[in-house]
């Protein structure tokens, strides 16, 4: 990796919390809404998985 690699423009994130939305079209806003809804579903699934693991551990150690 050379020092020139650091000067490359970084790919923008799909969505940045708090970003200015005024320049986005309705279609772009819908795309971001969809991305965020999918991310929320992924987070909720992981939360549920961890809660089940915690429940199993609590049940194991209570016996």
């Amino acid at each position: 990796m050379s020092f020139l690699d650091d000067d490359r423009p970084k790919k923008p994130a799909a969505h940045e919390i708090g970003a200015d939305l005024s320049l986005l079209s309705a279609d772009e806003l819908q795309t971001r809404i969809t991305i965020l809804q999918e991310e929320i579903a992924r987070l909720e699934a992981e939360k549920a998985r961890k809660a089940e693991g915690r429940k199993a551990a609590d049940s194991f150690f209570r016996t």
Side-chain angles (χ1 to χ4, degrees):
M1 179 186 279
S2 73
F3 69 91
L4 297 176
D5 291 344
D6 295 339
D7 294 334
R8 290 183 189 172
K10 297 197 179 353
K11 183 178 177 183
H15 181 74
E16 183 179 328
I17 304 299
D20 181 17
L21 304 175
S22 63
L23 299 177
L24 299 176
S25 70
D27 287 341
E28 290 170 319
L29 289 169
Q30 184 57 53
T31 299
R32 289 184 184 211
I33 289 168
T34 301
I35 289 168
L36 291 169
Q37 287 172 331
E38 290 170 355
E39 183 64 5
I40 289 168
R42 189 177 76 89
L43 289 165
E44 288 176 340
E46 182 66 14
K47 179 183 167 190
R49 187 185 71 77
K50 289 184 183 251
E52 284 300 315
R54 175 68 183 245
K55 184 178 172 183
D58 286 346
S59 175
F60 178 79
F61 289 112
R62 283 187 188 166
T63 57

